[in-house]
Amino acid sequence: MAITAPALQTAQFGVIGLGMMGENLALNVENHGYRVALWNHKPEKVDRFLDTHGTEGQWVGSRTLEEFVRALASPRLMLLMVPAGKAVDEMLEKLMPLLSPEDVVIDGGNSLFADTQRREAALRALGIQFIGMGVSGGAEGARFGPSLMPGGPRPAYDLVRPILEAIAAKTDSGPCVTYVGPDGAGHFVKMVHNGIEYGNMQLIAESYDLLRKGTGLSATELSDVFAEWNRGPLASYLIEIASLVLKARDPETGQPLVDLILDHAEQKGTGRWTAQAALELGVPIPTIAAAVDARVLSSMKAERVEASRQLARPGRGASTENRKALSDSVQAALSAATICSYAQGMNLLRAASTEYAWHVDRREIARIWKGGCIIRARLLDTIVHAFERAPDLPNLLLDPDIRPRVLEAERGCRSAVEAATELGIPIPATSASLAYFDGYRSAVLPQNLTQAQRDFFGAHTYQRIDHPEAGPVHADWRRLIDDTGRPSQET
């Protein structure tokens, strides 16, 4: 179907960018009764879209941005689905001269939240309302119900709210969309979502690896293990698809397809951004950081192959004995570590909300992650209830429902880490989760020695536990030690 010049103000919503996500979101919007204007920098993509879907719904195809803008009713509501980064800025530069005050532009890509803050301020100065919106759920979620995380001016959200609530995934808690907060809050929440996703996927991969190498279970047998776990407290979208992936067979060889896939996990940057933001805000997220590091290490395939020749793996090989015991330990470790992954992400949201005055409601974030998104899981019901009881809860590990689950899983988690250490199987995210748990519940940590060393070589001062009222103090460490190394009287 060839594109024709649209009549003026005929569409209620516009989509710019007809990649897989943009196309499916456009179909989702139209499916809920809205007429949709379309534009793509390659007009032939609009032609193909209309050839496929033009007879099914209400579409306005546009060859130019001018036609696209004229096709939208005022105030214009439009969604950008273009690659994050430079492409967003270039698109906004082209759009700005064509828009009017109160028009709403939504960036639905995985933009860095700081870029969204900058863009929102620039457009606000022109009277244009800009929303940075995280979208999770992949292509299927975009088509049939994603989790949506919009941030920006509240009046702009109120304008697009009926459309977003219509297209979002639905659970027993309502549509999986909420107003996250001003300027970059929406993209920050999506970034943290992806950080938790990194952590959870790495924890699942480590569980698979420990059972595969530790017990010799086949991919098909491991598929059954994950399927069983998905019927219990660990139930989640990622556990479900792990089971399905492990079951799939390569039609060419008849082997499990997963066994033929190169062990190099790629990344698009959101996990790294999460780790960087956590460092800047002073929030420990060791599970997520370990997952990012694991992907980087996986990219060093040639080096790892050579190292495997030169550095013999310690310990014993796979054993069919005590399969059940190791499987139970790994299940416990995955349960405890997954809770730590969510806890770290929620703590990062809390710190960012305070730093940027976003007033992010973590209960609402957990609620909209219950459906549509990649990290949807049964655990999120418990997390919602945790923040209902205590909106300012400092850490999920302290919730009265979550705390006993972690304590119950602790012994199994330690057994799994011990087994992996003995076998020489790397489980960095699981080990980091256990260390995070142990560190968080330690009333006394060894950083007294760290601080003393900092004061010794850099005069960075320290605080005395017996004289807290004195504030930061500095010691002349060399004068405190006599020639024999025995401490002398402090001055």
Side-chain angles (χ1 to χ4, degrees):
M1 179 182 294
I3 302 173
T4 58
L8 294 180
Q9 297 185 346
T10 57
Q12 299 148 292
F13 194 75
V15 175
I16 292 176
L18 293 178
M20 185 176 297
M21 290 293 288
E23 180 173 317
N24 282 340
L25 284 166
L27 289 167
N28 192 349
V29 173
E30 188 278 336
N31 191 59
H32 285 87
Y34 296 93
R35 190 166 194 182
V36 182
L38 305 169
W39 184 85
N40 193 80
H41 74 285
K42 294 181 178 179
E44 58 269 24
K45 291 203 75 169
V46 182
D47 287 334
R48 286 197 297 269
F49 183 96
L50 294 176
D51 285 340
T52 305
H53 306 289
T55 60
E56 298 176 6
Q58 299 180 328
W59 307 107
V60 181
S62 309
R63 284 203 169 274
T64 67
L65 279 176
E66 289 80 4
E67 289 179 356
F68 172 81
V69 171
R70 287 200 305 269
L72 290 167
S74 184
R76 303 177 182 93
L77 313 177
M78 64 193 71
L79 172 67
L80 306 186
M81 293 304 298
V82 300
K86 185 179 179 181
V88 178
D89 288 319
E90 291 176 345
M91 195 70 248
L92 291 175
E93 187 176 346
K94 294 174 183 177
L95 272 174
M96 287 310 95
L98 307 176
L99 300 182
S100 303
E102 305 307 317
D103 287 349
V104 178
V105 180
I106 306 169
D107 174 15
N110 275 332
S111 291
L112 180 63
F113 79 98
D115 287 341
T116 302
Q117 289 177 310
R118 167 178 57 80
R119 292 165 185 151
E120 193 276 332
L123 269 64
R124 184 179 354 113
L126 300 174
I128 309 299
Q129 303 187 86
F130 186 74
I131 290 176
M133 182 173 73
V135 180
S136 180
E140 183 177 355
R143 178 66 183 88
F144 299 107
S147 176
L148 302 172
M149 296 151 257
R154 183 61 193 245
Y157 173 73
D158 291 338
L159 285 172
V160 299
R161 178 176 179 174
I163 297 175
L164 299 185
E165 289 188 345
I167 68 171
K170 309 297 190 299
T171 72
D172 57 357
S173 298
C176 293
V177 61
T178 192
Y179 176 69
V180 173
D183 56 76
H187 276 142
F188 192 96
V189 169
K190 178 54 163 53
M191 179 191 75
V192 172
H193 166 284
N194 285 20
I196 295 171
E197 178 185 310
Y198 271 60
N200 292 1
M201 291 181 73
Q202 178 63 23
L203 293 169
I204 291 169
E206 292 174 10
S207 301
Y208 151 77
D209 201 32
L210 182 51
L211 289 177
R212 175 179 59 150
K213 294 175 181 174
T215 67
L217 286 171
S218 68
T220 301
E221 291 170 319
L222 285 167
S223 172
D224 293 338
V225 170
F226 279 99
E228 176 62 30
W229 289 355
N230 198 49
R231 289 189 280 271
L234 275 172
S236 71
Y237 174 70
L238 288 171
I239 293 288
E240 177 187 1
I241 65 171
S243 175
L244 297 176
V245 164
L246 289 164
K247 185 178 292 186
R249 293 274 172 174
D250 173 44
E252 182 180 343
T253 65
Q255 299 180 58
L257 181 56
V258 70
D259 291 344
L260 302 176
I261 296 176
L262 181 68
D263 57 330
H264 173 194
E266 299 178 352
Q267 53 183 318
K268 293 185 177 180
T270 48
R272 183 178 69 253
W273 293 346
T274 308
Q276 291 169 340
L279 285 171
E280 291 171 0
L281 291 167
V283 178
I285 57 165
T287 306
I288 297 169
V292 175
D293 287 343
R295 292 200 188 189
V296 175
L297 189 60
S298 79
S299 71
M300 303 163 59
K301 178 65 173 180
E303 274 189 69
R304 290 188 290 109
V305 170
E306 180 58 31
S308 72
R309 298 190 184 103
Q310 297 190 37
L311 305 171
R313 181 181 295 278
R316 57 180 173 81
S319 172
T320 58
E321 297 179 6
N322 298 321
R323 275 184 173 179
K324 179 66 165 59
L326 182 56
S327 180
D328 288 346
S329 294
V330 172
Q331 182 181 12
L334 181 55
S335 176
T338 299
I339 290 171
C340 288
S341 181
Y342 281 100
Q344 292 163 29
M346 287 296 183
N347 284 357
L348 183 54
L349 286 182
R350 181 175 184 240
S353 181
T354 299
E355 175 71 16
Y356 300 112
W358 284 337
H359 305 290
V360 175
D361 184 340
R362 290 179 293 170
R363 185 263 181 199
E364 271 290 276
I365 302 307
R367 181 191 69 77
I368 67 171
W369 285 350
K370 285 176 56 177
C373 74
I374 303 301
I375 63 170
R376 59 187 186 265
R378 185 170 296 172
L379 175 62
L380 284 161
D381 276 318
T382 306
I383 294 175
V384 168
H385 296 320
F387 289 122
E388 283 176 349
R389 280 190 293 267
D392 293 326
L393 184 68
N395 195 301
L396 286 173
L397 295 174
L398 302 179
D399 176 72
D401 284 349
I402 293 175
R403 182 176 64 245
R405 291 174 60 169
V406 180
L407 291 172
E408 183 180 357
E410 178 188 354
R411 182 180 296 275
C413 187
R414 294 191 187 282
S415 296
V417 172
E418 181 181 359
T421 302
E422 181 182 352
L423 291 165
I425 298 171
I427 53 169
T430 306
S431 300
S433 299
L434 181 58
Y436 174 78
F437 171 72
D438 284 336
Y440 185 68
R441 68 174 180 175
S442 293
V444 179
L445 289 169
Q447 272 62 52
N448 55 330
L449 178 58
T450 303
Q451 195 63 16
Q453 289 179 306
R454 293 182 73 247
D455 189 54
F456 188 106
F457 65 69
H460 294 295
T461 74
Y462 60 92
Q463 291 182 301
R464 294 184 61 119
I465 59 176
D466 56 344
H467 294 298
E469 74 285 352
V473 296
H474 167 61
D476 187 344
W477 292 92
R478 296 190 184 277
R479 292 184 59 190
L480 297 175
I481 305 168
D482 64 19
D483 292 339
T484 63
R486 291 192 299 269
S488 62
Q489 185 176 358
E490 184 175 2
T491 58

